[in-house]
Amino acid sequence: MTRATLDKQPHDVATMFDDVAERYDLTNDVLSLGQARLWRKEVAKAVDARPAQKVLDLAAGTATSSQPFAQAGAYVVPCDFSLGMLRVGKARHPWMPFTAGDGTRLPFKDDTFDAVTISFGLRNIQDTDAALRELYRVTKPGGRVVICEFSSPTWAPFRTVYTEYLMRALPPVARAVSSNPDAYVYLAESIRSWPDQPALAARLRETGWSKVAWRNLTGGVVALHRGFKQG
């Protein structure tokens, strides 16, 4: 079992996700108190995939997040650097074009996708700005990015309760339902150290994205950021 640390060495993070792949979706539903499904629906609305469009779902894991885009008729490529996640996903959805890839060096040509999206994966990539630049590179001019990531609750008293939940309640719950509880200690730490909504928006702008905006979900526990590649 692997315990990744906040320096986010790619091999450690990938191995950690390999370890939790089999029960990852179940564990997320339990730890998010059922909110994960709601968040996925909001991502699907924001991406607004259309028939025949090409969508890159980065950090797709087992492709649970990719299903709404496929159901909308888009050609979706689930991409992840955890081979364990990809294996579980391929067993569940053998028809999908699962692709192994590093978010800082994506295995796709420039200007390939109409939309690119990443849910709860950006903070696990060692170089956030490199990942944002790579997403920009593979997006067609006029295309869009949607990022769903844990963020900073907007109401201060709730923010305190939420932080306590992350660091105290999450590890014992993870021990009960996850195959690698230490992975969820790392995930809690990574959420606490992640930039807030305006800081992530600034990084999107700095890496080339325009018309950057965000919307809070569940009081800012999660934020959806959106941007466009100028045509």
Side-chain angles (χ1 to χ4, degrees):
M1 294 293 183
T2 297
R3 165 79 165 87
T5 54
L6 288 180
D7 63 358
K8 293 183 263 197
Q9 291 301 319
H11 175 266
D12 290 346
V13 177
T15 305
M16 181 191 76
F17 279 107
D18 292 346
D19 289 342
V20 299
E22 198 63 52
R23 302 182 74 185
Y24 183 71
D25 295 316
L26 166 69
T27 307
N28 281 354
D29 277 342
V30 172
L31 293 177
S32 70
L33 309 177
Q35 292 292 294
R37 296 178 188 208
L38 169 88
W39 298 335
R40 278 196 294 273
K41 284 181 184 172
E42 293 302 319
V43 171
K45 281 191 218 168
V47 171
D48 193 23
R50 304 293 173 89
Q53 286 189 337
K54 289 182 180 175
V55 177
L56 171 63
D57 188 13
L58 184 58
T62 61
T64 301
S65 58
S66 308
Q67 298 311 305
F69 313 130
Q71 288 159 6
Y75 177 77
V76 57
V77 178
C79 181
D80 204 285
F81 72 160
S82 164
L83 297 181
M85 286 283 200
L86 295 173
R87 273 192 293 271
V88 171
K90 194 70 176 173
R92 292 177 186 172
H93 314 288
W95 53 275
M96 296 193 80
F98 285 87
T99 303
D102 178 344
T104 63
R105 292 188 300 278
L106 291 171
F108 308 108
K109 293 180 179 177
D110 296 359
D111 307 333
T112 297
F113 296 97
D114 298 283
V116 296
T117 183
I118 181 168
S119 293
F120 308 111
L122 189 59
R123 74 181 192 287
N124 297 319
I125 298 176
Q126 190 174 34
D127 188 336
T128 303
D129 293 339
L132 293 175
R133 283 192 294 269
E134 274 292 271
L135 287 170
Y136 187 88
R137 179 184 67 76
V138 302
T139 301
K140 292 178 182 177
R144 58 208 180 275
V145 64
V146 173
I147 297 167
C148 180
E149 190 52 89
F150 289 108
S151 200
S152 182
T154 51
W155 190 46
F158 175 60
R159 189 159 58 237
T160 303
V161 171
Y162 172 66
T163 303
E164 289 292 306
Y165 168 73
L166 278 178
M167 299 317 294
R168 294 191 185 184
L170 190 148
V173 173
R175 271 194 291 279
V177 294
S178 170
S179 51
N180 182 3
D182 280 349
Y184 288 88
V185 177
Y186 155 76
L187 290 172
E189 291 171 352
S190 70
I191 292 166
R192 285 185 70 184
S193 65
W194 185 246
D196 65 9
Q197 293 89 325
L200 182 56
R203 292 176 88 156
L204 275 158
R205 292 187 196 98
E206 287 161 10
T207 49
W209 297 96
S210 61
K211 299 181 190 169
V212 174
W214 76 83
R215 182 160 63 88
N216 289 317
L217 303 178
T218 318
V221 167
V222 164
L224 286 183
H225 281 71
R226 188 194 64 204
F228 292 86
K229 182 172 178 174
Q230 288 184 316

